Amino acid sequence: MIKNYHHIIWDWNGTLLNDVSICSEIINCILTKRNLKPISMTDYKNIFTFPVKEYYEKAGLDFSAYSFEELGLEWITKYESLKFETKLFPDAEVVLNYIRDMGISQSILSAYSHHTLLEIVKHFGVEKYFLYLFGLDNIYAASKIDLGKKLMEKLQVDFKNILLIGDTIHDFDVAKEIGADCILISNGHQSKDRLLTCNVPVLDSLKDLVKKWD
């Protein structure tokens, strides 16, 4: 039950922010630019992973022909041009407000670069819900584990019973590493079948978080 937790750690992209379509669109732009076959949304959710370098390889990109750094910069440049076309998932702010009203503090732990995370959270007007915003110091989205440990150092004096909510297997891996419980939401960047392999609660939407875990 949500009310049993003292702090909620949220993933951002694919959990609170619905950017799945533009991420799929961007990888297909990168593929077609190199005369490679685009992938379907189903394929995208079946191959997306962290570190994203592995996902690029699964999409068909050959790092002997172009560097990961080149592709990563191309990807994030395109993402930055489209990011304000995204929206929060339905019920995102309702859920954030619901949790705040129970007196539970919240933070974001994201593979997004820190300064752009601050910008987009402010753009959507939801910064008021969060105690901490933690993003990476680079654009290459390798792992959030070390960042998660830094966040826990901030929280450990005052908090226990922490829940991490995300949309990928990597979020589950981070939760294990930092000693948090985990709930996964299946309308983000990875398919429900993949998330179910983690053996933690997998919900279809943020709305179900309130319905099932009140």
Side-chain angles (χ1 to χ4, degrees):
M1 298 173 69
I2 292 293
K3 65 183 180 182
N4 292 333
Y5 291 99
H6 295 172
H7 190 79
I8 308 295
I9 299 174
W10 289 95
D11 171 61
W12 176 247
N13 303 84
T15 302
L16 293 171
L17 181 71
N18 186 1
D19 63 352
V20 181
S21 293
I22 72 162
C23 290
S24 175
E25 175 186 336
I26 293 169
I27 194 64
N28 282 332
C29 287
I30 290 173
L31 291 169
T32 54
K33 179 179 176 181
R34 291 163 176 82
N35 298 314
L36 297 169
K37 183 180 178 181
I39 59 176
S40 67
M41 179 62 76
T42 298
D43 289 339
Y44 172 83
K45 291 192 173 192
N46 283 332
I47 66 171
F48 181 81
T49 193
F50 290 94
V52 295
K53 184 174 183 179
E54 294 179 12
Y55 146 61
Y56 284 9
E57 290 176 318
K58 290 178 180 180
L61 293 161
D62 181 359
F63 292 124
S64 67
Y66 14 75
S67 71
F68 171 61
E69 290 73 21
E70 170 193 347
L71 294 170
L73 180 59
E74 183 178 340
W75 193 96
I76 197 64
T77 300
K78 183 67 172 175
Y79 184 93
E80 288 299 301
S81 73
L82 296 173
K83 65 184 178 184
F84 294 130
E85 296 181 16
T86 62
K87 295 182 179 180
L88 297 179
F89 275 106
D91 298 307
E93 191 159 5
V94 171
V95 172
L96 292 173
N97 192 65
Y98 167 83
I99 293 171
R100 184 183 64 176
D101 285 351
M102 286 194 291
I104 301 169
S105 59
Q106 304 172 81
S107 294
I108 290 177
L109 178 66
S110 176
Y112 203 13
S113 63
H114 183 70
H115 74 281
T116 45
L117 174 65
L118 298 181
E119 178 188 23
I120 197 164
V121 170
K122 185 176 181 180
H123 169 78
F124 284 106
V126 292
E127 70 274 16
K128 61 190 175 185
Y129 295 106
F130 303 109
L131 185 61
Y132 297 111
L133 301 174
F134 270 51
L136 293 177
D137 62 0
N138 62 78
I139 64 170
Y140 298 113
S143 173
K144 298 189 294 188
I145 289 175
D146 288 342
L147 194 66
K149 291 177 179 178
K150 291 178 181 177
L151 175 55
M152 291 297 283
E153 289 174 2
K154 290 279 191 179
L155 297 174
Q156 66 181 358
V157 174
D158 299 315
F159 296 99
K160 58 183 179 179
N161 297 336
I162 294 174
L163 173 67
L164 190 153
I165 302 173
D167 71 310
T168 68
I169 293 170
H170 184 60
D171 290 311
F172 167 71
D173 291 338
V174 172
K176 281 197 304 181
E177 287 289 331
I178 66 176
D181 289 345
C182 184
I183 291 175
L184 298 173
I185 311 294
S186 67
N187 59 354
H189 288 279
Q190 290 186 333
S191 67
K192 187 172 185 176
D193 286 345
R194 295 176 71 194
L195 299 181
L196 287 170
T197 65
C198 296
N199 294 314
V200 296
V202 177
L203 307 180
D204 291 329
S205 69
L206 291 173
K207 186 176 182 179
D208 290 337
L209 190 66
V210 175
K211 287 166 54 179
K212 292 191 177 184
W213 295 91
D214 191 356

